[in-house]
């Protein structure tokens, strides 16, 4: 029988290393194990929350939930042609290891997404993206099971969503919206190319490659991956060394009119047109930095990283800092940005209280 741990400390389950306890925690490797866990817990007064490696969550200190991790790793090839290969990747697979494995095997597309922490199963939730590349460019389908609702023992119905069913958007999907905590993703089908077609549009990336190799043309997949890794390591705190959850705030999307208003008042404000729309994206990091928070320490060891104004860090992990302390500091930042720019910063990690 599968063992469900009750009153489980959450500290090692989230990269912010926030302190607290979850009512229960279980790891499953198959649908049979999932059924066993559900049979053991269906009369319990807690709901189920799927969890990956905990790199994009804020976990409350007294969570009345069963945190459920799907652990199966690896992939199999389900389709192949001279130009493409389609992989079915198990949800428990570490994302970065998959990216490196694909590059080694000469299956291309994921290079710009190197070193993003977390699992393959969590990647569709916010349609992970970096340096102008997003997961949805490769998704064929996402499969899993619907989780039973509170206190029922109904069998889990399976699903397979096509890419259009997933309603992918900018750091968004149906899984963050109407299906939040309603499904456990068990695998993701990804179609990769056998031809290397690098995306080098981001200045940070092209400048780095230029400096390193004198030119961008002729960059190899491995060089591109290494560049992404080097840039990220130079700017982002490693969660194993300094607890964090990556970007804490989403970039702000505004209308053309709003962008014009802001640009008139703040001519130095960076902004980027959003593809296939009349809207603009304003980097949250710039807004937070303008309000003087970059590198600032709050109370209890919570603070803003000195190189990345949207990364909140927890230097107080040993002192049992909790989600409410982190969120109260985040609110101070949100209020400052709202007061100065009239823009509302949305928190990116999923909050469970
Ligand atoms: P978790 O944090 O465990 O979970 C996140 C959400 O997914 C939760 O709501 C959870 O319920 C749900 N979930 C997890 N697994 C499943 C499953 N099997 N089925 C259903 N729901 C599930 N993100 C980017 O997009 N781009 C970046 O460049 C990036 N850089 C980062 C850098 C750092 C240093 C850090 C700490 C984070 C970064 N992130 C980035 C955020 C994070 O890496 C991604 O969101 C990642 O996909 C989270 O994976 P996880 O396994 O840790 O998910
Ligand atoms: P950066 O390269 O310094 O760029 C700053 C911001 O400007 C980013 O938010 C980026 O938007 C935007 N930007 C830059 N060039 C752009 C272009 N040519 N077109 C459109 N938008 C552009 O960013 P960074 O903070 O060092 O991060 C690098 C990449 O990794 C970014 O894509 C970022 O999203 C990703 N990242 C994400 C997380 C996370 O937790 N979500 C954490 C770390 C890094 P986008 O953010 O939309 O790309």
């Amino acid at each position: 029988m599968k063992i469900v741990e009750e009153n489980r400390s959450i500290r090692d389950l989230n990269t912010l290393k926030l302190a607290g306890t979850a009512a229960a925690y279980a790891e499953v490797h198959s649908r049979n194990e999932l059924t066993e866990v559900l049979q053991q817990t269906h009369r319990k007064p807690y709901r189920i929350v799927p969890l990956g490696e905990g790199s994009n969550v804020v976990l409350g200190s007294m969570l009345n939930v069963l945190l459920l991790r799907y652990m199966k790793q690896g992939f199999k090839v389900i389709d192949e042609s001279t130009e493409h290969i389609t992989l079915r990747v198990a949800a428990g697979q570490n994302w970065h290891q998959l990216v490196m494995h694909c590059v080694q095997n000469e299956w291309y597309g994921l290079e710009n997404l190197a070193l993003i922490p977390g699992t393959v199963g969590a990647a569709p939730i916010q349609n992970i993206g970096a340096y102008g590349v997003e997961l949805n460019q490769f998704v064929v389908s996402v499969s899993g099971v619907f989780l039973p609702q509170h206190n029922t023992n109904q069998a889990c119905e399976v699903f397979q969503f096509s890419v259009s069913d997933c309603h992918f958007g900018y750091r968004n999907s149906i899984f963050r919206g109407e299906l939040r905590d309603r499904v456990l993703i068990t695998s993701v089908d990804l179609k990769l190319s056998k031809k290397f077609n690098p995306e080098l549009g981001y200045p940070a990336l092209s400048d780095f490659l230029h400096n390193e190799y004198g030119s961008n043309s002729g960059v190899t997949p491995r060089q591109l991956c290494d560049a992404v890794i080097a840039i990220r390591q130079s700017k982002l705190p490693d969660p194993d060394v300094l607890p964090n959850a990556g970007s804490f705030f989403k970039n702000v999307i505004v209308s053309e009119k709003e962008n014009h208003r802001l640009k008139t008042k703040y001519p130095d404000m960076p902004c980027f047109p959003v593809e296939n729309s009349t809207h603009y994206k304003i980097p949250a990091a710039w807004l937070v930095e303008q309000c003087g928070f970059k590198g600032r320490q709050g109370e209890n060891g919570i603070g803003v990283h000195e190189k990345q104004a949207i990364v909140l860090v927890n230097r107080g992990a040993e002192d049992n800092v909790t989600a409410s302390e982190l969120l109260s500091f985040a609110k101070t930042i949100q209020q400052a940005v709202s007061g100065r720019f009239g823009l509302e910063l949305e928190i990116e990690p999923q909050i469970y209280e």
Side-chain angles (χ1 to χ4, degrees):
M1 280 299 266
K2 246 357 260 167
I3 296 179
V4 177
E5 282 180 71
E6 298 213 315
N7 295 321
R8 171 67 154 80
S9 163
I10 58 164
R11 199 196 312 226
D12 65 335
L13 300 178
N14 72 104
T15 62
L16 274 161
K17 297 283 178 283
L18 295 170
T21 313
Y25 172 70
E27 296 179 352
V28 297
H29 298 78
S30 65
R31 283 190 49 213
N32 284 346
E33 288 188 359
L34 172 63
T35 307
E36 285 176 35
V37 165
L38 296 178
Q39 277 165 356
Q40 278 186 38
T41 56
H42 82 274
R43 285 185 208 286
K44 301 282 188 181
Y46 40 70
R47 67 192 176 91
I48 301 171
V49 169
L51 188 71
E53 293 178 13
S55 65
N56 209 25
V57 285
V58 175
L59 300 179
S61 58
M62 286 176 59
L63 279 177
N64 191 26
V65 303
L66 162 65
L67 292 173
L68 180 65
R69 272 198 77 174
Y70 188 77
M71 302 298 287
K72 190 174 171 193
Q73 302 191 25
F75 67 85
K76 61 183 177 190
V77 176
I78 56 166
D79 195 25
E80 187 163 10
S81 67
T82 47
E83 290 177 352
H84 293 103
I85 188 155
T86 306
L87 310 178
R88 176 156 300 163
V89 193
Q93 171 66 46
N94 174 269
W95 174 262
H96 175 66
Q97 282 170 12
L98 174 74
V99 173
M100 298 317 284
H101 196 85
C102 289
V103 171
Q104 247 169 23
N105 281 281
E106 304 181 351
W107 305 329
Y108 302 126
L110 307 181
E111 302 78 28
N112 295 28
L113 304 179
L115 215 64
I116 297 182
T119 53
V120 167
I125 307 294
Q126 70 158 1
N127 185 22
I128 57 167
Y131 300 104
V133 173
E134 289 183 334
L135 179 84
N136 65 327
Q137 295 169 238
F138 313 98
V139 171
V140 177
S141 61
V142 173
S143 301
V145 294
F146 287 101
L147 292 167
Q149 293 307 287
H150 209 66
N151 272 350
T152 62
N153 191 18
Q154 77 215 37
C156 292
E157 196 188 325
V158 297
F159 70 84
Q160 183 173 45
F161 287 168
S162 68
V163 64
S164 62
D165 295 335
C166 295
H167 299 177
F168 285 121
Y170 180 65
R171 306 290 188 269
N172 210 354
S173 75
I174 194 168
F175 308 110
R176 261 184 87 106
E178 62 189 90
L179 290 184
R180 183 181 141 130
D181 304 336
R182 299 282 311 280
V183 299
L184 180 71
I185 292 170
T186 54
S187 67
V188 180
D189 291 359
L190 297 172
K191 186 174 180 178
L192 304 174
S193 176
K194 291 189 177 175
K195 189 167 166 251
F196 180 50
N197 188 13
E199 168 57 63
L200 307 175
Y202 267 43
L205 194 51
S206 60
D207 291 353
F208 182 95
L209 289 165
H210 227 273
N211 287 340
E212 201 74 0
Y213 305 107
S215 147
N216 286 349
S217 60
V219 62
T220 68
R222 186 63 215 212
Q223 285 170 338
L224 177 53
C225 256
D226 287 348
V228 169
I229 291 169
I231 301 170
R232 292 180 72 101
Q233 284 175 335
S234 73
K235 288 178 81 172
L236 283 169
D238 176 352
D240 286 338
V241 179
L242 182 53
N244 74 87
S247 304
F248 203 80
F249 302 108
K250 285 188 180 187
N251 291 331
V252 184
I253 309 294
V254 296
S255 66
E256 202 172 357
K257 194 173 158 207
E258 181 70 344
N259 191 55
H260 181 72
R261 175 188 77 78
L262 288 160
K263 264 299 211 192
T264 309
K265 206 165 171 196
Y266 306 102
D268 295 338
M269 181 188 80
C271 64
F272 300 91
V274 175
E275 242 179 80
N276 305 322
S277 104
T278 55
H279 287 63
Y280 284 80
K281 174 176 72 180
I282 301 172
W286 186 85
L287 299 168
V288 176
E289 186 171 356
Q290 292 300 304
C291 293
F293 281 96
K294 193 172 183 181
R296 194 190 288 184
Q297 279 303 303
E299 284 172 19
N300 311 320
I302 297 291
V304 178
H305 194 244
E306 56 280 357
K307 290 188 190 158
Q308 269 288 9
I310 39 169
V311 176
L312 299 196
V313 295
N314 175 13
R315 291 192 167 84
E318 296 307 316
D319 298 322
N320 294 329
V321 168
T322 61
S324 57
E325 291 163 280
L326 175 81
L327 292 172
S328 133
F329 183 63
K331 195 164 191 180
T332 311
I333 299 175
Q334 288 171 307
Q335 283 169 343
V337 168
S338 173
R340 174 140 180 213
F341 297 100
L343 297 175
E344 303 307 317
L345 283 184
E346 192 189 329
I347 292 178
E348 183 183 287
Q350 302 270 32
I351 300 170
Y352 295 98
E353 290 182 287

